[in-house]
PDB file of all heavy atoms in Angstrom:
ATOM      1  N   ALA A   1       5.260  -4.552   5.497  1.00 97.00           N
ATOM      2  CA  ALA A   1       4.596  -5.649   4.634  1.00 97.00           C
ATOM      3  C   ALA A   1       5.518  -6.259   3.715  1.00 97.00           C
ATOM      4  O   ALA A   1       5.357  -7.478   3.369  1.00 97.00           O
ATOM      5  CB  ALA A   1       3.352  -5.000   3.846  1.00 97.00           C
ATOM      6  N   GLU A   2       6.454  -5.540   3.172  1.00 96.00           N
ATOM      7  CA  GLU A   2       7.490  -6.116   2.269  1.00 96.00           C
ATOM      8  C   GLU A   2       8.305  -7.220   2.946  1.00 96.00           C
ATOM      9  O   GLU A   2       9.009  -8.037   2.279  1.00 96.00           O
ATOM     10  CB  GLU A   2       8.370  -5.087   1.642  1.00 96.00           C
ATOM     11  CG  GLU A   2       7.681  -4.020   0.692  1.00 96.00           C
ATOM     12  CD  GLU A   2       7.175  -4.742  -0.574  1.00 96.00           C
ATOM     13  OE1 GLU A   2       7.571  -5.818  -0.818  1.00 96.00           O
ATOM     14  OE2 GLU A   2       6.382  -4.069  -1.246  1.00 96.00           O
ATOM     15  N   ARG A   3       8.361  -7.248   4.289  1.00 96.00           N
ATOM     16  CA  ARG A   3       9.159  -8.179   5.029  1.00 96.00           C
ATOM     17  C   ARG A   3       8.263  -9.354   5.477  1.00 96.00           C
ATOM     18  O   ARG A   3       8.729 -10.239   6.239  1.00 96.00           O
ATOM     19  CB  ARG A   3       9.804  -7.500   6.218  1.00 96.00           C
ATOM     20  CG  ARG A   3      10.853  -6.525   5.873  1.00 96.00           C
ATOM     21  CD  ARG A   3      11.381  -5.731   7.082  1.00 96.00           C
ATOM     22  NE  ARG A   3      12.500  -4.935   6.819  1.00 96.00           N
ATOM     23  CZ  ARG A   3      12.532  -3.720   6.198  1.00 96.00           C
ATOM     24  NH1 ARG A   3      11.338  -3.221   5.809  1.00 96.00           N
ATOM     25  NH2 ARG A   3      13.641  -3.142   5.948  1.00 96.00           N
ATOM     26  N   LEU A   4       7.003  -9.358   4.997  1.00 96.00           N
ATOM     27  CA  LEU A   4       6.090 -10.417   5.454  1.00 96.00           C
ATOM     28  C   LEU A   4       5.746 -11.356   4.268  1.00 96.00           C
ATOM     29  O   LEU A   4       5.821 -10.973   3.071  1.00 96.00           O
ATOM     30  CB  LEU A   4       4.754  -9.856   5.930  1.00 96.00           C
ATOM     31  CG  LEU A   4       4.778  -9.008   7.235  1.00 96.00           C
ATOM     32  CD1 LEU A   4       3.506  -8.286   7.479  1.00 96.00           C
ATOM     33  CD2 LEU A   4       5.154  -9.894   8.422  1.00 96.00           C
ATOM     34  N   PRO A   5       5.551 -12.685   4.550  1.00 95.00           N
ATOM     35  CA  PRO A   5       5.217 -13.595   3.390  1.00 95.00           C
ATOM     36  C   PRO A   5       3.800 -13.399   2.893  1.00 95.00           C
ATOM     37  O   PRO A   5       3.409 -14.007   1.907  1.00 95.00           O
ATOM     38  CB  PRO A   5       5.401 -14.942   4.124  1.00 95.00           C
ATOM     39  CG  PRO A   5       5.127 -14.708   5.565  1.00 95.00           C
ATOM     40  CD  PRO A   5       5.607 -13.289   5.855  1.00 95.00           C
ATOM     41  N   ASP A   6       2.961 -12.665   3.644  1.00 94.00           N
ATOM     42  CA  ASP A   6       1.515 -12.519   3.325  1.00 94.00           C
ATOM     43  C   ASP A   6       1.352 -11.641   2.124  1.00 94.00           C
ATOM     44  O   ASP A   6       1.516 -10.398   2.295  1.00 94.00           O
ATOM     45  CB  ASP A   6       0.717 -12.085   4.533  1.00 94.00           C
ATOM     46  CG  ASP A   6      -0.714 -11.900   4.328  1.00 94.00           C
ATOM     47  OD1 ASP A   6      -1.220 -12.395   3.235  1.00 94.00           O
ATOM     48  OD2 ASP A   6      -1.414 -11.380   5.163  1.00 94.00           O
ATOM     49  N   PRO A   7       0.840 -12.076   0.934  1.00 96.00           N
ATOM     50  CA  PRO A   7       0.647 -11.145  -0.186  1.00 96.00           C
ATOM     51  C   PRO A   7      -0.471 -10.132   0.035  1.00 96.00           C
ATOM     52  O   PRO A   7      -0.456  -8.992  -0.458  1.00 96.00           O
ATOM     53  CB  PRO A   7       0.266 -12.077  -1.387  1.00 96.00           C
ATOM     54  CG  PRO A   7      -0.199 -13.345  -0.692  1.00 96.00           C
ATOM     55  CD  PRO A   7       0.494 -13.473   0.621  1.00 96.00           C
ATOM     56  N   VAL A   8      -1.498 -10.522   0.812  1.00 95.00           N
ATOM     57  CA  VAL A   8      -2.590  -9.606   1.145  1.00 95.00           C
ATOM     58  C   VAL A   8      -2.062  -8.331   1.863  1.00 95.00           C
ATOM     59  O   VAL A   8      -2.508  -7.232   1.579  1.00 95.00           O
ATOM     60  CB  VAL A   8      -3.695 -10.326   1.872  1.00 95.00           C
ATOM     61  CG1 VAL A   8      -4.771  -9.263   2.323  1.00 95.00           C
ATOM     62  CG2 VAL A   8      -4.285 -11.380   1.118  1.00 95.00           C
ATOM     63  N   ALA A   9      -1.124  -8.534   2.776  1.00 96.00           N
ATOM     64  CA  ALA A   9      -0.585  -7.393   3.494  1.00 96.00           C
ATOM     65  C   ALA A   9       0.099  -6.419   2.532  1.00 96.00           C
ATOM     66  O   ALA A   9      -0.024  -5.221   2.613  1.00 96.00           O
ATOM     67  CB  ALA A   9       0.433  -7.854   4.505  1.00 96.00           C
ATOM     68  N   ARG A  10       0.850  -7.001   1.530  1.00 97.00           N
ATOM     69  CA  ARG A  10       1.493  -6.124   0.587  1.00 97.00           C
ATOM     70  C   ARG A  10       0.528  -5.504  -0.372  1.00 97.00           C
ATOM     71  O   ARG A  10       0.659  -4.254  -0.657  1.00 97.00           O
ATOM     72  CB  ARG A  10       2.471  -6.995  -0.229  1.00 97.00           C
ATOM     73  CG  ARG A  10       3.652  -7.571   0.598  1.00 97.00           C
ATOM     74  CD  ARG A  10       4.817  -8.040  -0.278  1.00 97.00           C
ATOM     75  NE  ARG A  10       4.511  -9.111  -1.130  1.00 97.00           N
ATOM     76  CZ  ARG A  10       4.437 -10.448  -0.826  1.00 97.00           C
ATOM     77  NH1 ARG A  10       4.705 -10.718   0.483  1.00 97.00           N
ATOM     78  NH2 ARG A  10       4.124 -11.327  -1.668  1.00 97.00           N
ATOM     79  N   ILE A  11      -0.504  -6.212  -0.807  1.00 97.00           N
ATOM     80  CA  ILE A  11      -1.466  -5.614  -1.706  1.00 97.00           C
ATOM     81  C   ILE A  11      -2.181  -4.412  -1.004  1.00 97.00           C
ATOM     82  O   ILE A  11      -2.358  -3.307  -1.547  1.00 97.00           O
ATOM     83  CB  ILE A  11      -2.536  -6.675  -2.160  1.00 97.00           C
ATOM     84  CG1 ILE A  11      -1.887  -7.726  -2.918  1.00 97.00           C
ATOM     85  CG2 ILE A  11      -3.665  -5.992  -2.896  1.00 97.00           C
ATOM     86  CD1 ILE A  11      -2.789  -8.986  -3.177  1.00 97.00           C
ATOM     87  N   ARG A  12      -2.687  -4.710   0.206  1.00 96.00           N
ATOM     88  CA  ARG A  12      -3.484  -3.618   0.857  1.00 96.00           C
ATOM     89  C   ARG A  12      -2.544  -2.456   1.249  1.00 96.00           C
ATOM     90  O   ARG A  12      -2.980  -1.281   1.201  1.00 96.00           O
ATOM     91  CB  ARG A  12      -4.114  -4.248   2.152  1.00 96.00           C
ATOM     92  CG  ARG A  12      -5.164  -5.214   1.816  1.00 96.00           C
ATOM     93  CD  ARG A  12      -5.869  -5.856   3.069  1.00 96.00           C
ATOM     94  NE  ARG A  12      -6.922  -6.659   2.760  1.00 96.00           N
ATOM     95  CZ  ARG A  12      -7.641  -7.350   3.680  1.00 96.00           C
ATOM     96  NH1 ARG A  12      -7.441  -7.168   4.946  1.00 96.00           N
ATOM     97  NH2 ARG A  12      -8.691  -8.136   3.300  1.00 96.00           N
ATOM     98  N   SER A  13      -1.360  -2.732   1.647  1.00 97.00           N
ATOM     99  CA  SER A  13      -0.461  -1.608   2.043  1.00 97.00           C
ATOM    100  C   SER A  13      -0.118  -0.729   0.831  1.00 97.00           C
ATOM    101  O   SER A  13      -0.168   0.501   0.932  1.00 97.00           O
ATOM    102  CB  SER A  13       0.802  -2.197   2.700  1.00 97.00           C
ATOM    103  OG  SER A  13       0.531  -2.830   3.870  1.00 97.00           O
ATOM    104  N   HIS A  14       0.132  -1.323  -0.346  1.00 98.00           N
ATOM    105  CA  HIS A  14       0.422  -0.482  -1.450  1.00 98.00           C
ATOM    106  C   HIS A  14      -0.865   0.251  -1.938  1.00 98.00           C
ATOM    107  O   HIS A  14      -0.773   1.399  -2.297  1.00 98.00           O
ATOM    108  CB  HIS A  14       0.943  -1.376  -2.640  1.00 98.00           C
ATOM    109  CG  HIS A  14       2.381  -1.685  -2.543  1.00 98.00           C
ATOM    110  ND1 HIS A  14       3.316  -0.757  -2.821  1.00 98.00           N
ATOM    111  CD2 HIS A  14       3.071  -2.843  -2.289  1.00 98.00           C
ATOM    112  CE1 HIS A  14       4.601  -1.293  -2.646  1.00 98.00           C
ATOM    113  NE2 HIS A  14       4.394  -2.577  -2.378  1.00 98.00           N
ATOM    114  N   ARG A  15      -2.004  -0.435  -1.848  1.00 97.00           N
ATOM    115  CA  ARG A  15      -3.230   0.253  -2.331  1.00 97.00           C
ATOM    116  C   ARG A  15      -3.552   1.393  -1.390  1.00 97.00           C
ATOM    117  O   ARG A  15      -3.892   2.516  -1.921  1.00 97.00           O
ATOM    118  CB  ARG A  15      -4.348  -0.785  -2.188  1.00 97.00           C
ATOM    119  CG  ARG A  15      -5.798  -0.139  -2.321  1.00 97.00           C
ATOM    120  CD  ARG A  15      -6.881  -1.238  -2.587  1.00 97.00           C
ATOM    121  NE  ARG A  15      -6.920  -2.262  -1.576  1.00 97.00           N
ATOM    122  CZ  ARG A  15      -7.537  -2.145  -0.448  1.00 97.00           C
ATOM    123  NH1 ARG A  15      -8.165  -1.020  -0.137  1.00 97.00           N
ATOM    124  NH2 ARG A  15      -7.593  -3.151   0.365  1.00 97.00           N
ATOM    125  N   LEU A  16      -3.429   1.275  -0.095  1.00 97.00           N
ATOM    126  CA  LEU A  16      -3.803   2.314   0.796  1.00 97.00           C
ATOM    127  C   LEU A  16      -2.709   3.439   0.865  1.00 97.00           C
ATOM    128  O   LEU A  16      -3.061   4.615   1.159  1.00 97.00           O
ATOM    129  CB  LEU A  16      -4.141   1.806   2.188  1.00 97.00           C
ATOM    130  CG  LEU A  16      -5.372   0.903   2.093  1.00 97.00           C
ATOM    131  CD1 LEU A  16      -5.690   0.197   3.393  1.00 97.00           C
ATOM    132  CD2 LEU A  16      -6.681   1.701   1.641  1.00 97.00           C
ATOM    133  N   LEU A  17      -1.452   3.073   0.598  1.00 98.00           N
ATOM    134  CA  LEU A  17      -0.491   4.169   0.426  1.00 98.00           C
ATOM    135  C   LEU A  17      -0.741   4.925  -0.771  1.00 98.00           C
ATOM    136  O   LEU A  17      -0.604   6.169  -0.803  1.00 98.00           O
ATOM    137  CB  LEU A  17       0.975   3.508   0.431  1.00 98.00           C
ATOM    138  CG  LEU A  17       2.114   4.475   0.186  1.00 98.00           C
ATOM    139  CD1 LEU A  17       2.076   5.614   1.208  1.00 98.00           C
ATOM    140  CD2 LEU A  17       3.420   3.805   0.214  1.00 98.00           C
ATOM    141  N   GLY A  18      -1.165   4.269  -1.878  1.00 97.00           N
ATOM    142  CA  GLY A  18      -1.543   4.958  -3.065  1.00 97.00           C
ATOM    143  C   GLY A  18      -2.724   5.928  -2.776  1.00 97.00           C
ATOM    144  O   GLY A  18      -2.791   7.087  -3.235  1.00 97.00           O
ATOM    145  N   ASP A  19      -3.664   5.481  -2.054  1.00 96.00           N
ATOM    146  CA  ASP A  19      -4.831   6.306  -1.666  1.00 96.00           C
ATOM    147  C   ASP A  19      -4.334   7.546  -0.884  1.00 96.00           C
ATOM    148  O   ASP A  19      -4.788   8.661  -1.087  1.00 96.00           O
ATOM    149  CB  ASP A  19      -5.749   5.476  -0.863  1.00 96.00           C
ATOM    150  CG  ASP A  19      -7.146   6.132  -0.636  1.00 96.00           C
ATOM    151  OD1 ASP A  19      -7.540   6.929  -1.566  1.00 96.00           O
ATOM    152  OD2 ASP A  19      -7.793   5.876   0.442  1.00 96.00           O
ATOM    153  N   ALA A  20      -3.369   7.387   0.028  1.00 97.00           N
ATOM    154  CA  ALA A  20      -2.922   8.473   0.846  1.00 97.00           C
ATOM    155  C   ALA A  20      -2.195   9.500   0.006  1.00 97.00           C
ATOM    156  O   ALA A  20      -2.282  10.680   0.152  1.00 97.00           O
ATOM    157  CB  ALA A  20      -1.930   7.889   1.935  1.00 97.00           C
ATOM    158  N   HIS A  21      -1.386   8.997  -0.948  1.00 97.00           N
ATOM    159  CA  HIS A  21      -0.749   9.937  -1.924  1.00 97.00           C
ATOM    160  C   HIS A  21      -1.819  10.687  -2.720  1.00 97.00           C
ATOM    161  O   HIS A  21      -1.646  11.876  -2.969  1.00 97.00           O
ATOM    162  CB  HIS A  21       0.176   9.151  -2.875  1.00 97.00           C
ATOM    163  CG  HIS A  21       1.540   8.842  -2.259  1.00 97.00           C
ATOM    164  ND1 HIS A  21       2.444   9.799  -1.893  1.00 97.00           N
ATOM    165  CD2 HIS A  21       2.160   7.599  -2.067  1.00 97.00           C
ATOM    166  CE1 HIS A  21       3.529   9.223  -1.409  1.00 97.00           C
ATOM    167  NE2 HIS A  21       3.384   7.931  -1.561  1.00 97.00           N
ATOM    168  N   ALA A  22      -2.842  10.009  -3.158  1.00 95.00           N
ATOM    169  CA  ALA A  22      -3.831  10.674  -3.944  1.00 95.00           C
ATOM    170  C   ALA A  22      -4.532  11.756  -3.160  1.00 95.00           C
ATOM    171  O   ALA A  22      -4.876  12.810  -3.734  1.00 95.00           O
ATOM    172  CB  ALA A  22      -4.840   9.607  -4.373  1.00 95.00           C
ATOM    173  N   ASP A  23      -4.839  11.510  -1.942  1.00 93.00           N
ATOM    174  CA  ASP A  23      -5.458  12.493  -1.053  1.00 93.00           C
ATOM    175  C   ASP A  23      -4.630  13.848  -0.958  1.00 93.00           C
ATOM    176  O   ASP A  23      -5.185  14.836  -0.759  1.00 93.00           O
ATOM    177  CB  ASP A  23      -5.756  11.964   0.350  1.00 93.00           C
ATOM    178  CG  ASP A  23      -7.011  11.134   0.371  1.00 93.00           C
ATOM    179  OD1 ASP A  23      -7.794  11.178  -0.544  1.00 93.00           O
ATOM    180  OD2 ASP A  23      -7.153  10.383   1.386  1.00 93.00           O
ATOM    181  N   LEU A  24      -3.390  13.641  -1.130  1.00 94.00           N
ATOM    182  CA  LEU A  24      -2.489  14.819  -1.066  1.00 94.00           C
ATOM    183  C   LEU A  24      -2.119  15.387  -2.459  1.00 94.00           C
ATOM    184  O   LEU A  24      -1.257  16.218  -2.573  1.00 94.00           O
ATOM    185  CB  LEU A  24      -1.209  14.468  -0.330  1.00 94.00           C
ATOM    186  CG  LEU A  24      -1.396  14.252   1.202  1.00 94.00           C
ATOM    187  CD1 LEU A  24      -0.113  13.668   1.789  1.00 94.00           C
ATOM    188  CD2 LEU A  24      -1.687  15.623   1.944  1.00 94.00           C
ATOM    189  N   GLY A  25      -2.869  14.874  -3.422  1.00 92.00           N
ATOM    190  CA  GLY A  25      -2.629  15.357  -4.841  1.00 92.00           C
ATOM    191  C   GLY A  25      -1.323  14.924  -5.484  1.00 92.00           C
ATOM    192  O   GLY A  25      -0.912  15.420  -6.442  1.00 92.00           O
ATOM    193  N   GLN A  26      -0.707  13.814  -4.951  1.00 95.00           N
ATOM    194  CA  GLN A  26       0.463  13.305  -5.546  1.00 95.00           C
ATOM    195  C   GLN A  26       0.171  12.174  -6.519  1.00 95.00           C
ATOM    196  O   GLN A  26       0.255  10.931  -6.196  1.00 95.00           O
ATOM    197  CB  GLN A  26       1.367  12.823  -4.393  1.00 95.00           C
ATOM    198  CG  GLN A  26       1.732  13.966  -3.393  1.00 95.00           C
ATOM    199  CD  GLN A  26       2.358  13.479  -2.032  1.00 95.00           C
ATOM    200  OE1 GLN A  26       2.608  12.281  -1.919  1.00 95.00           O
ATOM    201  NE2 GLN A  26       2.618  14.385  -1.183  1.00 95.00           N
ATOM    202  N   HIS A  27      -0.239  12.551  -7.624  1.00 95.00           N
ATOM    203  CA  HIS A  27      -0.872  11.696  -8.652  1.00 95.00           C
ATOM    204  C   HIS A  27       0.078  10.565  -9.055  1.00 95.00           C
ATOM    205  O   HIS A  27      -0.291   9.365  -9.057  1.00 95.00           O
ATOM    206  CB  HIS A  27      -1.388  12.454  -9.852  1.00 95.00           C
ATOM    207  CG  HIS A  27      -1.942  11.597 -10.969  1.00 95.00           C
ATOM    208  ND1 HIS A  27      -3.187  11.114 -10.838  1.00 95.00           N
ATOM    209  CD2 HIS A  27      -1.415  11.195 -12.133  1.00 95.00           C
ATOM    210  CE1 HIS A  27      -3.461  10.445 -11.927  1.00 95.00           C
ATOM    211  NE2 HIS A  27      -2.423  10.456 -12.729  1.00 95.00           N
TER     212      HIS A  27
END
């Protein structure tokens, strides 16, 4: 997503990567 011009791709990718870290307790 960082290589794409679309800001929504970057927003969603960071958000859901954060969610994945949270599920593993990586606060």
Side-chain angles (χ1 to χ4, degrees):
E2 294 293 347
R3 293 171 169 81
L4 293 170
D6 180 10
V8 174
R10 295 196 297 277
I11 295 169
R12 292 180 176 179
S13 295
H14 278 289
R15 170 166 55 83
L16 295 173
L17 177 57
D19 192 28
H21 278 299
D23 278 345
L24 290 168
Q26 299 167 3
H27 178 77

